[in-house]
mmCIF file of all heavy atoms in Angstrom:
data_model
loop_
_atom_site.group_PDB
_atom_site.id
_atom_site.type_symbol
_atom_site.label_atom_id
_atom_site.label_comp_id
_atom_site.label_asym_id
_atom_site.label_seq_id
_atom_site.Cartn_x
_atom_site.Cartn_y
_atom_site.Cartn_z
ATOM 1 N N PRO A 160 -4.798 14.405 6.468
ATOM 2 C CA PRO A 160 -3.903 15.545 6.405
ATOM 3 C C PRO A 160 -4.306 16.503 5.261
ATOM 4 O O PRO A 160 -4.911 16.107 4.321
ATOM 5 C CB PRO A 160 -2.521 14.828 5.949
ATOM 6 C CG PRO A 160 -3.021 13.617 5.428
ATOM 7 C CD PRO A 160 -4.281 13.200 6.122
ATOM 8 N N PRO A 196 0.104 12.348 -0.098
ATOM 9 C CA PRO A 196 1.360 12.527 0.607
ATOM 10 C C PRO A 196 2.358 11.474 0.343
ATOM 11 O O PRO A 196 2.011 10.280 0.166
ATOM 12 C CB PRO A 196 0.938 12.483 2.066
ATOM 13 C CG PRO A 196 -0.534 12.753 2.077
ATOM 14 C CD PRO A 196 -1.020 12.240 0.754
ATOM 15 N N GLU A 198 4.507 10.123 2.152
ATOM 16 C CA GLU A 198 4.554 9.007 3.082
ATOM 17 C C GLU A 198 3.790 7.779 2.795
ATOM 18 O O GLU A 198 4.102 6.642 3.094
ATOM 19 C CB GLU A 198 4.140 9.516 4.423
ATOM 20 C CG GLU A 198 5.118 10.611 5.150
ATOM 21 C CD GLU A 198 5.002 11.912 4.423
ATOM 22 O OE1 GLU A 198 4.095 12.217 3.668
ATOM 23 O OE2 GLU A 198 5.950 12.726 4.709
ATOM 24 N N CYS A 202 4.876 3.677 2.426
ATOM 25 C CA CYS A 202 4.219 2.558 3.163
ATOM 26 C C CYS A 202 3.467 1.650 2.157
ATOM 27 O O CYS A 202 3.394 0.406 2.460
ATOM 28 C CB CYS A 202 3.208 3.312 4.137
ATOM 29 S SG CYS A 202 3.965 4.229 5.489
ATOM 30 N N ARG A 230 7.656 12.960 6.881
ATOM 31 C CA ARG A 230 7.122 13.784 8.052
ATOM 32 C C ARG A 230 6.696 12.585 9.036
ATOM 33 O O ARG A 230 5.700 11.805 8.676
ATOM 34 C CB ARG A 230 5.883 14.581 7.605
ATOM 35 C CG ARG A 230 6.308 15.708 6.803
ATOM 36 C CD ARG A 230 5.025 16.324 6.121
ATOM 37 N NE ARG A 230 4.501 15.494 5.139
ATOM 38 C CZ ARG A 230 3.394 15.813 4.355
ATOM 39 N NH1 ARG A 230 2.817 16.927 4.560
ATOM 40 N NH2 ARG A 230 2.947 15.013 3.466
ATOM 41 N N PRO A 231 7.305 12.545 10.133
ATOM 42 C CA PRO A 231 7.057 11.446 11.065
ATOM 43 C C PRO A 231 5.607 11.478 11.562
ATOM 44 O O PRO A 231 5.044 10.345 11.864
ATOM 45 C CB PRO A 231 7.951 11.707 12.263
ATOM 46 C CG PRO A 231 8.422 13.184 12.106
ATOM 47 C CD PRO A 231 8.343 13.519 10.693
ATOM 48 N N GLU A 232 4.984 12.605 11.597
ATOM 49 C CA GLU A 232 3.516 12.819 12.118
ATOM 50 C C GLU A 232 2.557 12.043 11.200
ATOM 51 O O GLU A 232 1.343 11.807 11.647
ATOM 52 C CB GLU A 232 3.153 14.271 12.409
ATOM 53 C CG GLU A 232 3.083 15.066 11.093
ATOM 54 C CD GLU A 232 4.311 15.600 10.642
ATOM 55 O OE1 GLU A 232 5.433 15.238 11.198
ATOM 56 O OE2 GLU A 232 4.397 16.646 9.944
ATOM 57 N N LEU A 233 2.990 11.758 9.891
ATOM 58 C CA LEU A 233 2.048 11.121 9.088
ATOM 59 C C LEU A 233 2.353 9.596 8.824
ATOM 60 O O LEU A 233 1.621 9.052 8.074
ATOM 61 C CB LEU A 233 2.189 11.748 7.567
ATOM 62 C CG LEU A 233 1.725 13.125 7.433
ATOM 63 C CD1 LEU A 233 1.702 13.592 5.920
ATOM 64 C CD2 LEU A 233 0.372 13.258 7.971
ATOM 65 N N VAL A 234 3.180 9.168 9.593
ATOM 66 C CA VAL A 234 3.693 7.644 9.536
ATOM 67 C C VAL A 234 2.471 6.753 9.779
ATOM 68 O O VAL A 234 2.125 5.808 8.949
ATOM 69 C CB VAL A 234 4.822 7.315 10.277
ATOM 70 C CG1 VAL A 234 4.970 5.793 10.453
ATOM 71 C CG2 VAL A 234 6.094 7.944 9.582
ATOM 72 N N ARG A 235 1.846 6.932 10.851
ATOM 73 C CA ARG A 235 0.681 5.980 11.181
ATOM 74 C C ARG A 235 -0.356 6.039 10.313
ATOM 75 O O ARG A 235 -1.143 5.114 10.013
ATOM 76 C CB ARG A 235 0.402 6.198 12.708
ATOM 77 C CG ARG A 235 1.463 5.749 13.604
ATOM 78 C CD ARG A 235 1.282 5.981 15.124
ATOM 79 N NE ARG A 235 2.572 5.874 15.887
ATOM 80 C CZ ARG A 235 2.794 4.614 16.358
ATOM 81 N NH1 ARG A 235 2.139 3.470 16.240
ATOM 82 N NH2 ARG A 235 3.881 4.464 17.087
ATOM 83 N N TRP A 236 -0.742 7.334 9.940
ATOM 84 C CA TRP A 236 -1.844 7.524 8.944
ATOM 85 C C TRP A 236 -1.570 6.813 7.786
ATOM 86 O O TRP A 236 -2.402 6.029 7.162
ATOM 87 C CB TRP A 236 -2.043 9.033 8.832
ATOM 88 C CG TRP A 236 -3.085 9.271 7.665
ATOM 89 C CD1 TRP A 236 -4.427 9.279 7.862
ATOM 90 C CD2 TRP A 236 -2.917 9.430 6.358
ATOM 91 N NE1 TRP A 236 -5.016 9.599 6.655
ATOM 92 C CE2 TRP A 236 -3.997 9.643 5.681
ATOM 93 C CE3 TRP A 236 -1.649 9.659 5.577
ATOM 94 C CZ2 TRP A 236 -4.070 10.016 4.352
ATOM 95 C CZ3 TRP A 236 -1.629 9.982 4.197
ATOM 96 C CH2 TRP A 236 -2.875 10.054 3.652
ATOM 97 N N ALA A 237 -0.396 6.915 7.213
ATOM 98 C CA ALA A 237 0.170 6.438 5.936
ATOM 99 C C ALA A 237 0.057 4.878 5.994
ATOM 100 O O ALA A 237 -0.336 4.170 5.066
ATOM 101 C CB ALA A 237 1.380 6.797 5.499
ATOM 102 N N LEU A 238 0.497 4.293 7.052
ATOM 103 C CA LEU A 238 0.377 2.915 7.191
ATOM 104 C C LEU A 238 -0.924 2.486 7.355
ATOM 105 O O LEU A 238 -1.337 1.312 6.747
ATOM 106 C CB LEU A 238 1.148 2.356 8.541
ATOM 107 C CG LEU A 238 2.756 2.242 8.436
ATOM 108 C CD1 LEU A 238 3.407 2.133 9.833
ATOM 109 C CD2 LEU A 238 3.115 1.108 7.533
#
Side-chain angles (χ1 to χ4, degrees):
E198 292 76 12
C202 292
R230 292 168 291 178
E232 67 274 12
L233 287 189
V234 163
R235 290 174 192 275
W236 173 84
L238 277 170

